[in-house]
Amino acid sequence: MKDMNRLASVALCLSLFVQCSGNTVGANCSVSQQDCGGNMFCNHNDGDNGKCQTCTAVDATNCPKADDRWPCCNMTYGTTLKVEYYENAQCTGTPQTAIFSSDQSCSDYFATTASSGACALGSVTNCCSFTDASVKATMDLTDTTIYANSAKVDCTDSPLISTSECNAAAANLTSLLPVFDSSICPKAGNTWTKSSCGVKSCIDAFKATTDEMIKTSVQQLEPCNIYQGYFVFRNETFLKGTLDSIASLCGITDVGYTANACIDIVRATTKVQIDCPTVCQTNIFGCKDQPERSPQSCGTAECASALTNLNRMDVSASMCPKSYASRLGLDNIQNFRFATNVYYPVQCGLNISASTTDLCVRGLEYITKFDAACPMQCTTEETSPLVDTGLPKCTATQSPYNPAQCGTAECLAVIQEGLDKASLYQSYLKTCTGDLGSIADSLPDVDAFVSQGLGYARDCKIIGNVSSDSMSDCSKGMLELMKGDVSCALSCYDEERGPQFNLPKCGAGAVNRTFDSCGTVTCKKYVDDFEKNVDTIRSNVAKCTGRLTSFATVLGTKEYTLDLVKQVRDECEVDSGKKLAGDDGESDGASIQHPLMTTAIGLALIQLFV
């Protein structure tokens, strides 16, 4: 829907092992598991919940092993790299920041990996352009989700766990689990694909991988429980999930180990990743100037099946260990459900009804139903569909809605559904939290929700067919005000009102209405009825609360309201004696509407909805 903060995208990690990397400072973590990674510890906050903190301030030589700082004990020194990635090659604009660790010193790191003078300085004030392919390979730091064109690097020598026991266990991992051996399950570049690893050697390796092998691997990797790169594998579910994600990418389903609820989620999300592909390379900056998916990339029966199967699972964060749930995107379960139940189906052009019981997602599903039935022709900063489908930006004279596109019976039916069920849908949206909660914030009460719907009906010129049977007195008053721009049609738009109905901009000194635009029987009937019912209309508007209370102020005294109506009478010349369009049964082009809007009231409504 328009006139609210839109969600350009929803963060949902579906590529698991390939795209989900370790925690950063401030990330949620488990105190008992100490799952933050190298050079960090999980600082106790509430029960087993904590926040990742750096070990820099911890005295590693006098470190209390009994408390939550024990991962910082007995440290050697390595490298902490703070990398600011930029979309252009000049290190300008808004960066995306990542933190990495290495067991090399800064001088060793740059001596062995960086070939650019700017990068070699190791200062965040210097820009390293990725136009040099070898530098780009260096600065990607094995993170396959980063496709930047330049970076600034801040390198510091920091405490870092590094033990011979962990090194030995890590080196032995391919012997413990042969599927990690690239000669058995080869990659295609930086990831696995069905064509690269769907081969007999890899199929046999997965079939031979048992629960006991995984358990042994976890036990032998125990010394690495705070060694970045391997610490996550000390958890059997996490290790199984990693293996299962690789198996799915390789197109392998016959494995020798058993699954659990969390592994079922891994399989279902990886299936969505494979069967609902993106149209562009998703990365830290997102897909540039286009939606991530389209009906051409994922409008298939396979994608519909993958999404339906995942949504039927009614996924929750409790189905996986906490640290793994975060990597799967389950720590923000509403975003996860919205993405799989609504966002992906809309982008892929799939007719899939939400199967979740999450009320927020149900409310958002109605909004996307409206966006489909009442399509926009273009978008502005303030007005765009809930799900990005690649609409162009509006030109200076375009309005998002074109009555020729959205003035349909289908659009009217969906708007009427929202008006009749406004209390229900508004209560659904109030359950949204986080980023999704901004929508509920923009529609704080039922009357605001109804007024929003009436605004759409006005913009699509179907407001004359709206039924007010289920409306409150406030909403009935707002309905009468909003009918004006359609019944007494504008001839142009001025700077204050902005583009509307695809009309031209008014010239210097021009009025919004002329006899040619609104000298109609419909307009005369509207202003006559408005004057006759002015007391009721004013009384209804006076009952509005919240942000709608401003309209009682706009209407002013009864005399002022009637003066505004007279202004419309004079501009449209409905009492001039001229033959009005629609007289003697002649159509005036507005037979399904009967609407008014004075300049003052119209401007107030425009300001409310934008």
Side-chain angles (χ1 to χ4, degrees):
M1 292 174 93
K2 66 171 194 170
D3 310 317
M4 58 179 67
N5 258 337
R6 295 298 183 164
L7 304 174
S9 65
V10 175
L12 174 64
C13 176
L14 285 178
S15 57
L16 306 179
F17 181 73
V18 177
Q19 291 186 10
C20 299
S21 55
N23 288 333
T24 57
V25 174
N28 294 326
C29 57
S30 165
V31 176
S32 63
Q33 298 292 315
Q34 286 297 326
D35 50 3
C36 290
N39 193 32
M40 287 187 284
F41 71 101
C42 186
N43 194 11
H44 174 269
N45 182 28
D46 178 22
D48 192 50
N49 300 323
K51 298 288 185 180
C52 291
Q53 301 290 330
T54 179
C55 286
T56 305
V58 177
D59 184 356
T61 62
N62 184 25
C63 184
K65 295 187 178 182
D67 68 13
D68 51 21
R69 288 172 288 175
W70 68 263
C72 301
C73 302
N74 300 322
M75 294 198 173
T76 58
Y77 278 81
T79 298
T80 296
L81 295 169
K82 176 185 176 184
V83 185
E84 293 181 352
Y85 291 98
Y86 294 85
E87 195 168 8
N88 60 33
Q90 294 78 42
C91 295
T92 57
T94 303
Q96 295 287 341
T97 302
I99 297 176
F100 303 92
S101 294
S102 169
D103 57 4
Q104 295 177 298
S105 66
C106 287
S107 58
D108 288 342
Y109 174 79
F110 284 106
T112 56
T113 59
S115 58
S116 164
C119 286
L121 293 175
S123 171
V124 78
T125 60
N126 292 284
C127 181
C128 169
S129 174
F130 290 173
T131 52
D132 182 332
S134 62
V135 173
K136 177 173 172 58
T138 295
M139 304 320 298
D140 272 355
L141 298 168
T142 72
D143 190 329
T144 59
T145 67
I146 294 175
Y147 298 90
N149 290 303
S150 63
K152 295 179 180 180
V153 184
D154 187 13
C155 182
T156 56
D157 288 327
S158 307
L160 181 73
I161 287 287
S162 180
T163 66
S164 58
E165 293 88 350
C166 178
N167 290 338
N172 196 39
L173 185 61
T174 54
S175 297
L176 296 169
L177 296 171
V179 294
F180 284 123
D181 188 333
S182 60
S183 67
I184 294 175
C185 294
K187 289 184 179 181
N190 290 319
T191 189
W192 292 268
T193 66
K194 189 173 182 179
S195 59
S196 72
C197 55
V199 295
K200 186 177 187 303
S201 59
C202 192
I203 293 172
D204 291 343
F206 270 104
K207 191 180 298 185
T209 302
T210 64
D211 290 336
E212 190 60 33
M213 291 168 63
I214 292 173
K215 184 176 181 179
T216 300
S217 300
V218 169
Q219 291 172 345
Q220 294 200 24
L221 288 169
E222 187 61 30
C224 302
N225 53 2
I226 35 79
Y227 186 86
Q228 190 162 13
Y230 294 101
F231 77 99
V232 293
F233 291 157
R234 60 177 172 70
N235 181 288
E236 288 187 37
T237 296
F238 204 119
L239 184 50
K240 280 187 179 181
T242 299
L243 293 171
D244 221 75
S245 181
I246 297 172
S248 295
L249 294 174
C250 296
I252 297 171
T253 57
D254 189 3
V255 296
Y257 51 84
T258 58
N260 55 30
C262 186
I263 300 305
D264 288 339
I265 296 173
V266 173
R267 291 175 177 175
T269 52
T270 307
K271 183 69 172 170
V272 169
Q273 174 203 356
I274 295 170
D275 290 346
C276 306
T278 60
V279 296
C280 59
Q281 187 69 65
T282 53
N283 57 64
I284 57 174
F285 300 104
C287 293
K288 188 173 178 62
D289 299 327
Q290 63 177 322
E292 295 90 347
R293 290 170 172 80
S294 73
Q296 289 71 39
S297 75
C298 56
T300 62
E302 290 78 9
C303 179
S305 176
L307 286 168
T308 300
N309 290 337
L310 176 58
N311 293 334
R312 283 175 179 167
M313 296 171 68
D314 200 18
V315 173
S316 68
S318 62
M319 298 170 76
C320 288
K322 184 172 182 178
S323 59
Y324 200 14
S326 176
R327 286 168 171 79
L328 289 171
L330 303 183
D331 53 342
N332 192 332
I333 195 62
Q334 263 188 356
N335 273 14
F336 187 98
R337 291 169 179 163
F338 169 66
T340 60
N341 281 272
V342 178
Y343 197 86
Y344 287 6
V346 170
Q347 282 199 329
C348 296
L350 299 172
N351 185 21
I352 301 176
S353 298
S355 57
T356 178
T357 56
D358 192 306
L359 297 182
C360 168
V361 176
R362 292 288 191 181
L364 296 173
E365 184 183 31
Y366 168 73
I367 294 179
T368 58
K369 181 179 180 180
F370 163 80
D371 286 337
C374 308
M376 298 179 191
Q377 64 174 346
C378 57
T379 66
T380 66
E381 288 297 321
E382 300 83 14
T383 307
S384 61
L386 180 63
V387 177
D388 179 16
T389 55
L391 289 174
K393 298 291 185 184
C394 293
T395 64
T397 59
Q398 275 185 313
S399 53
Y401 287 95
N402 180 355
Q405 289 180 250
C406 62
T408 64
E410 181 185 9
C411 178
L412 175 64
V414 173
I415 289 177
Q416 190 67 57
E417 176 189 340
L419 299 177
D420 294 342
K421 298 180 179 179
S423 179
L424 179 67
Y425 286 144
Q426 199 265 341
S427 69
Y428 284 178
L429 294 176
K430 286 178 70 173
T431 67
C432 296
T433 58
D435 292 335
L436 300 177
S438 62
I439 297 175
D441 294 340
S442 68
L443 300 171
D445 52 54
V446 174
D447 283 334
F449 187 97
V450 170
S451 295
Q452 189 93 36
L454 293 176
Y456 308 144
R458 175 203 59 200
D459 290 349
C460 294
K461 289 191 174 182
I462 51 178
I463 195 167
N465 285 10
V466 166
S467 169
S468 62
D469 292 346
S470 62
M471 294 183 189
S472 68
D473 287 344
C474 164
S475 295
K476 289 177 180 177
M478 295 299 297
L479 172 62
E480 293 306 313
L481 294 182
M482 291 194 194
K483 286 179 179 179
D485 277 350
V486 179
S487 286
C488 297
L490 302 172
S491 59
C492 57
Y493 75 87
D494 56 35
E495 197 67 47
E496 288 183 301
R497 295 174 68 96
Q500 195 172 9
F501 305 131
N502 275 6
L503 294 171
K505 187 176 181 179
C506 298
V511 295
N512 293 105
R513 293 177 173 85
T514 66
F515 179 77
D516 288 339
S517 72
C518 57
T520 65
V521 172
T522 298
C523 181
K524 177 170 174 53
K525 182 177 187 311
Y526 176 72
V527 292
D528 287 347
D529 289 346
F530 195 98
E531 286 182 344
K532 181 169 47 177
N533 299 314
V534 66
D535 291 330
T536 300
I537 294 171
R538 286 173 50 79
S539 174
N540 285 341
V541 172
K543 295 175 184 178
C544 294
T545 59
R547 61 177 183 166
L548 300 182
T549 55
S550 60
F551 287 97
T553 304
V554 171
L555 289 176
T557 63
K558 179 178 179 180
E559 290 71 22
Y560 180 70
T561 303
L562 292 174
D563 283 343
L564 295 176
V565 177
K566 183 177 184 303
Q567 179 184 337
V568 176
R569 280 189 181 279
D570 293 343
E571 289 179 354
C572 296
E573 299 182 66
V574 294
D575 298 323
S576 65
K578 296 180 180 179
K579 182 176 176 61
L580 302 178
D583 199 6
D584 299 326
E586 175 189 349
S587 172
D588 61 8
S591 59
I592 66 167
Q593 295 92 17
H594 44 51
L596 154 87
M597 184 91 48
T598 67
T599 300
I601 299 173
L603 178 57
L605 284 168
I606 293 297
Q607 291 171 336
L608 172 69
F609 291 114
V610 176

